């Protein structure tokens, strides 16, 4: 088994630690977090080894970055740039109850939690967070750094562009695109394309306001193309 270090010690990181343990592919060595109050403590029995930059000293371990929330869902992208690790250092964590078809592809640094379903020819990029009970149907594309909260459903041929965030229970109509770094509110029904850098809510979903400042910063920043981040897939 490979050693695994989880960057972050919050809820998503704890869920990922449980998924990795259940899958049995990795030995979870510990969490890394920049909150000094957590250093030397344990989270659900897993030690917090130190700050995020310690990853450079743990060169034999695989890594997954598990940070971010609806207020700052660009945090994973910033950490990936800061740590500057090669793609092959990143693990892909798939809970044993997730269903990933043989024609689907999942990039490095991505986490699929319990009871996710990828039906046919689904492409999920790097550093994507896929929470429990998410359903991705035929030909969906989920780009790097996207987040899909629990219970999200994407119709066939839908696309979540780079860094997009879909809140719990959101529904995205087939063939629809959610623009880069946009956020779809929980329980919303997206019936048409969402432009980049906006927050849409409701059923049917409508524009509420601009995305949070960290997401807008990512939208305007230059970034590494998806094909360079993609690396190996499972």
């Amino acid at each position: 088994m490979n050693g695994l270090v989880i960057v972050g010690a919050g809820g998503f990181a704890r869920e990922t630690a449980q998924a990795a343990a259940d899958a049995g592919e990795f030995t979870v060595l510990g969490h890394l977090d920049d909150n000094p109050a957590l250093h030397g403590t344990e989270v659900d029995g897993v030690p917090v080894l130190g700050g995020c930059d310690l990853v450079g000293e743990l060169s034999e371990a695989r890594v997954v970055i598990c940070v971010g929330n609806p207020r700052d869902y660009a945090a994973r992208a910033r950490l990936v740039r800061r740590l500057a690790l090669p793609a092959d250092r990143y693990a892909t964590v798939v809970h044993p109850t997730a269903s990933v078809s043989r024609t689907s592809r999942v990039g490095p640094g991505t986490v699929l939690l319990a009871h996710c379903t990828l039906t046919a020819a689904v492409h999920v990029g790097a550093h994507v967070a896929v929470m429990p009970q998410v359903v991705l149907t035929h030909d969906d594309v989920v780009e790097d750094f996207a987040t899909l909260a629990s219970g999200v459903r994407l119709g066939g041929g839908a696309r979540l562009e780079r860094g997009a965030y879909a809140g719990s229970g959101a529904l995205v109509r087939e063939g629809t695109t959610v623009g880069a770094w946009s956020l779809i509110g929980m329980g919303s029904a997206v019936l048409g394309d969402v432009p980049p850098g906006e927050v849409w809510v409701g059923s049917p979903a409508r524009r509420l306001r601009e995305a949070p400042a960290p997401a807008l910063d990512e939208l305007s920043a230059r970034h590494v193309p998806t094909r360079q981040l993609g690396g190996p897939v499972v």
Side-chain angles (χ1 to χ4, degrees):
M1 289 191 292
N2 300 316
L4 179 70
V5 170
I6 299 172
V7 177
F12 177 34
R14 293 165 56 203
E15 291 171 327
T16 300
Q18 296 293 316
D22 290 346
E25 182 180 356
F26 301 103
T27 299
V28 179
L29 302 179
H31 295 276
L32 300 179
D33 196 284
D34 284 337
N35 181 357
L38 295 177
H39 299 171
T41 67
E42 291 189 349
V43 179
D44 297 337
V46 179
V48 181
L49 304 173
C52 297
D53 292 328
L54 188 62
V55 72
E57 300 179 25
L58 301 168
S59 59
E60 299 300 316
R62 304 292 295 282
V63 180
V64 66
I65 296 179
C66 299
V67 298
N69 58 62
R71 295 175 298 280
D72 184 7
Y73 50 94
R76 283 198 305 284
R78 293 197 306 273
L79 262 175
V80 166
R81 284 198 302 273
R82 171 181 151 190
L83 298 179
L85 299 175
D88 60 8
R89 282 290 308 277
Y90 287 107
T92 302
V93 176
V94 179
H95 192 277
T97 63
S99 175
V100 180
S101 69
R102 62 179 178 80
T103 56
S104 295
R105 298 291 181 266
V106 181
T110 287
V111 176
L112 306 182
L113 292 180
H115 303 292
C116 297
T117 301
L118 282 63
T119 63
V122 175
H123 288 258
V124 178
H127 306 290
V128 175
V130 184
M131 302 302 178
Q133 302 286 349
V134 168
V135 177
L136 305 178
T137 55
H138 68 87
D139 304 304
D140 287 340
V141 176
V142 180
E143 296 185 8
D144 298 346
F145 302 112
T147 300
L148 296 91
S150 300
V152 169
R153 304 287 192 269
L154 268 58
R159 177 182 291 268
L160 263 61
E161 293 186 341
R162 183 183 178 87
Y165 187 108
S168 297
L171 306 175
V172 179
R173 187 177 185 174
E174 66 273 9
T176 298
T177 295
V178 177
W181 300 105
S182 282
L183 183 149
I184 305 303
M186 59 192 305
S188 297
V190 179
L191 303 183
D193 291 348
V194 174
E198 297 186 358
V199 175
W200 283 45
V201 300
S203 182
R206 300 182 185 277
R207 186 186 190 277
L208 177 65
R209 55 177 171 80
E210 284 189 332
L216 292 179
D217 289 344
E218 286 297 321
L219 184 61
S220 62
R222 297 181 63 184
H223 60 262
V224 178
T226 299
R227 62 182 180 272
Q228 293 183 25
L229 284 176
V233 294
V234 299

